[in-house]
């Protein structure tokens, strides 16, 4: 098994025995991220882009260097990387800016039944505002049923998650994009990479979508920063999402002209320290290398899946194959909230509930699941602790 142990890199784990199995919700932060954020706050903090003095210049340089790192991380030109506050805001930006400018009543948006609410609700809002129609690729046995993708001449955008946060299912994104392009190359495609940017190498050019979004806090970075990648021509044809400072070229009392992307979409003071922290997170992940991270997580995820499946008292909802380090289950013998409480007493952190995927839970016929999710710092001990905790909980509750 190609395992490594990086727990010592994460201060909250190094000083604690916790089996942290809730990384799909938000990941722990490595020392490198904490240090990078402290360095800017303690060393040369100032607002960016507008100051003509040393602190501001240094902070601006660090902020834009982070943009460069993130662009390289996903294989994009630097001016196609827009900073938002999270994936949710990135998707809302596309729905409200691109959607309002390009969609009319009756136009169709194609989503999937496994989307996080962040890729459902923005489109519902748009439907209520302008009368679009939302269609869904169905889920079958924990994966997308691609046998009959409901595309039509009215489909204008397809927006789907790369990896299911609730089940860990890795969707065949390139295949889906290829089929959509073959049907109609004018259909826009958004990939929600909130989970995938954490578990696999992303090359947005190779993937072939029009938009790719992810969120900093799941990628070992801080909260408050997210990314929207979009193709330059599409971004520059989109109207601003919010108005304010730093996104304009000129403002008069009756007229405004706007900068090109990415500034056009970055109104107001951005999450300066957090962006720099995310840059450090990307450096950290890159320094370990995707091959090593993927091999480690695959080995652990296989073990987790095998061990939980073998128990007999759990129903596993995650697929056996094409799955990231996420295993979702329900227990025949215990309520999930009770399970989580006893696991917490055993110092095991898992997530229970609908995982912001209520339509998917409905499809699975459950109100929620217990979700154990892995990260690069997870170890076999975490899985042992989960198993021991489950043994104890099931004994107490059944
Ligand atoms: C697949 C997916 N999309 C979107 C989001 C939303 O991320 P954020 O809350 O950081 O905007 C999440 C978070 O759980 C997610 O897992």
């Amino acid at each position: 098994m190609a395992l490594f142990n990086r727990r010592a890199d994460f201060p909250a784990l190094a000083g604690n025995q916790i089996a942290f199995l809730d990384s799909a919700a938000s990941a722990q932060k490595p020392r490198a991220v904490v240090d990078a954020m402290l360095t800017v706050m303690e060393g040369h903090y100032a607002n960016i882009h507008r100051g003509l003095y040393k602190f501001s210049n240094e902070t601006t340089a660090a902020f834009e260097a982070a943009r460069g790192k993130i662009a390289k991380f996903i294989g994009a030109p630097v001016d196609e990387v827009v900073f938002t506050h999270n994936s949710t805001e990135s998707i809302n930006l596309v729905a409200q800016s691109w959607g309002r400018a390009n969609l009319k009543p009756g136009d169709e948006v194609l989503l999937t039944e496994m989307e996080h609410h962040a890729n459902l609700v923005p489109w519902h809002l748009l439907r209520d505002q302008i009368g679009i129609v939302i269609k869904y690729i169905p889920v079958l046995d924990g994966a997308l049923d691609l046998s009959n993708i409901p595309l039509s001449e009215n489909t204008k955008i397809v927006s789907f998650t790369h990896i299911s946060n609730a089940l860990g299912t890795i969707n065949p994104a390139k295949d889906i994009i290829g089929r959509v392009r073959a049907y109609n190359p004018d259909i826009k495609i958004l990939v929600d990479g909130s989970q995938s940017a954490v578990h696999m190498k992303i090359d947005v050019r190779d993937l072939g979508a029009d938009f790719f979004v992810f969120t900093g806090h799941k990628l070992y970075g801080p909260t408050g920063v997210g990314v929207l990648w979009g193709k330059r021509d599409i971004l520059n044809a989109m109207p601003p999402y919010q108005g304010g400072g730093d996104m304009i070229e000129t403002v008069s009392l009756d007229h405004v002209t706007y900068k090109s992307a990415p500034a056009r979409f970055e109104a107001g003071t951005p999450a300066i320290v957090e962006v720099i922290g995310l840059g450090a997170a990307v450096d950290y992940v890159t320094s370990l290398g995707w091959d090593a991270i993927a091999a480690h997580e695959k080995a652990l995820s296989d073990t987790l899946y095998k061990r939980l499946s073998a128990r007999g008292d759990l129903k596993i909802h995650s697929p056996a194959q094409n799955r990231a380090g996420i295993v979702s289950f329900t227990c025949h013998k215990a309520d999930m909230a009770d399970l989580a409480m006893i696991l917490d007493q055993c110092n095991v952190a898992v997530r229970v509930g609908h995982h912001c995927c209520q339509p998917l839970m409905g499809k699975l016929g459950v109100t929620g699941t217990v979700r154990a999710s892995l990260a690069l710092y997870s170890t076999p001990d975490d899985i042992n602790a989960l198993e021991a905790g489950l043994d104890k909980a099931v004994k107490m509750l059944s």
Side-chain angles (χ1 to χ4, degrees), residues 96-115:
Q96 288 297 316
S97 170
W98 182 87
R100 275 178 172 261
N102 291 283
L103 300 181
K104 57 182 188 322
D107 281 346
E108 292 173 9
V109 172
L110 181 60
L111 310 175
T112 85
E113 289 179 343
M114 67 166 65
E115 295 313 307

Side-chain angles (χ1 to χ4, degrees), residues 48-50 60 63-64 67 77-85 89 93 97 228-232 235-251 256-271:
I48 56 167
H49 292 155
R50 319 169 234 232
T60 302
F63 181 91
E64 290 303 334
R67 195 192 305 274
V78 78
D79 60 326
E80 295 184 349
V81 171
V82 176
F83 289 122
T84 61
H85 293 109
E89 189 181 39
L93 192 165
S97 170
L228 164 66
W229 168 79
K231 285 183 178 159
R232 181 182 298 122
L235 288 177
N236 285 329
M238 284 162 50
Y241 170 56
Q242 294 183 323
D246 224 19
M247 46 80 78
I248 53 86
E249 273 170 349
T250 61
V251 179
V256 183
T257 58
Y258 304 109
K259 285 181 182 161
S260 313
R264 162 188 298 250
F265 300 106
E266 294 177 355
T269 301

Side-chain angles (χ1 to χ4, degrees), residues 197-217:
V198 183
H199 295 297
M200 59 173 72
K201 169 89 190 115
I202 299 295
D203 181 333
V204 290
R205 288 278 179 244
D206 181 55
L207 194 59
D210 299 296
F211 301 106
F212 183 89
V213 309
F214 61 100
T215 198
H217 65 98

Side-chain angles (χ1 to χ4, degrees), residues 41-360:
M41 285 190 287
E42 293 179 346
H44 52 80
Y45 177 78
N47 209 331
I48 56 167
H49 292 155
R50 319 169 234 232
L52 290 176
Y53 54 92
K54 192 162 164 280
F55 270 22
S56 179
N57 290 340
E58 284 177 6
T59 305
T60 302
F63 181 91
E64 290 303 334
R67 195 192 305 274
K69 291 174 188 180
I70 290 155
K72 195 164 167 214
F73 186 68
I74 59 169
V78 78
D79 60 326
E80 295 184 349
V81 171
V82 176
F83 289 122
T84 61
H85 293 109
N86 46 37
S87 290
T88 302
E89 189 181 39
S90 299
I91 298 171
N92 275 280
L93 192 165
V94 174
Q96 288 297 316
S97 170
W98 182 87
R100 275 178 172 261
N102 291 283
L103 300 181
K104 57 182 188 322
D107 281 346
E108 292 173 9
V109 172
L110 181 60
L111 310 175
T112 85
E113 289 179 343
M114 67 166 65
E115 295 313 307
H116 187 283
H117 295 165
N119 195 25
L120 291 170
V121 183
W123 304 108
H124 281 251
L125 288 172
L126 194 62
R127 180 192 54 199
D128 296 344
Q129 288 159 351
I130 62 173
I132 55 162
V133 174
I134 305 177
K135 292 193 165 177
Y136 299 94
I137 300 175
V139 168
L140 185 65
D141 298 330
L144 294 179
D145 177 3
L146 299 174
S147 60
N148 189 10
I149 302 178
L151 291 161
S152 87
E153 61 183 13
N154 295 324
T155 310
K156 293 293 171 354
I157 185 165
V158 178
S159 184
F160 65 94
T161 192
H162 203 170
I163 294 181
S164 161
N165 63 300
L167 301 177
T169 317
I170 302 173
N171 290 322
K174 274 185 83 168
D175 176 35
I176 296 171
I177 292 166
R179 293 199 213 190
V180 174
R181 295 274 187 244
Y183 183 86
N184 176 356
D186 293 335
I187 295 173
K188 297 291 175 282
I189 302 172
L190 184 154
V191 174
D192 177 356
S194 303
Q195 298 293 337
S196 63
V198 183
H199 295 297
M200 59 173 72
K201 169 89 190 115
I202 299 295
D203 181 333
V204 290
R205 288 278 179 244
D206 181 55
L207 194 59
D210 299 296
F211 301 106
F212 183 89
V213 309
F214 61 100
T215 198
H217 65 98
K218 295 185 202 283
L219 185 54
Y220 310 103
T223 51
V225 54
V227 172
L228 164 66
W229 168 79
K231 285 183 178 159
R232 181 182 298 122
D233 294 351
I234 300 175
L235 288 177
N236 285 329
M238 284 162 50
Y241 170 56
Q242 294 183 323
D246 224 19
M247 46 80 78
I248 53 86
E249 273 170 349
T250 61
V251 179
S252 69
L253 289 183
D254 52 15
H255 189 65
V256 183
T257 58
Y258 304 109
K259 285 181 182 161
S260 313
R264 162 188 298 250
F265 300 106
E266 294 177 355
T269 301
I272 299 168
V273 179
E274 290 78 5
V275 164
I276 292 167
L278 182 57
V282 160
D283 279 346
Y284 173 75
V285 169
T286 307
S287 74
L288 297 183
W290 277 118
D291 289 348
I293 295 170
H296 173 80
E297 291 187 352
K298 168 99 175 62
L300 275 187
S301 181
D302 286 349
T303 304
L304 176 64
Y305 188 92
K306 219 184 281 168
R307 302 241 313 251
L308 294 181
S309 306
R311 292 178 60 89
D313 53 2
L314 306 179
K315 176 166 173 50
I316 310 294
H317 297 279
S318 297
Q321 305 296 330
N322 299 325
R323 189 195 65 255
I326 294 175
V327 178
S328 230
F329 56 92
T330 41
C331 180
H332 309 310
K333 298 182 177 165
D335 173 76
M336 60 184 169
D338 295 340
L339 259 184
M341 249 159 19
I342 296 170
L343 286 172
D344 179 44
Q345 285 163 13
C346 302
N347 222 359
V348 176
V350 292
R351 177 59 60 112
V352 296
H354 54 63
H355 314 298
C356 295
C357 293
Q358 284 186 357
L360 177 62

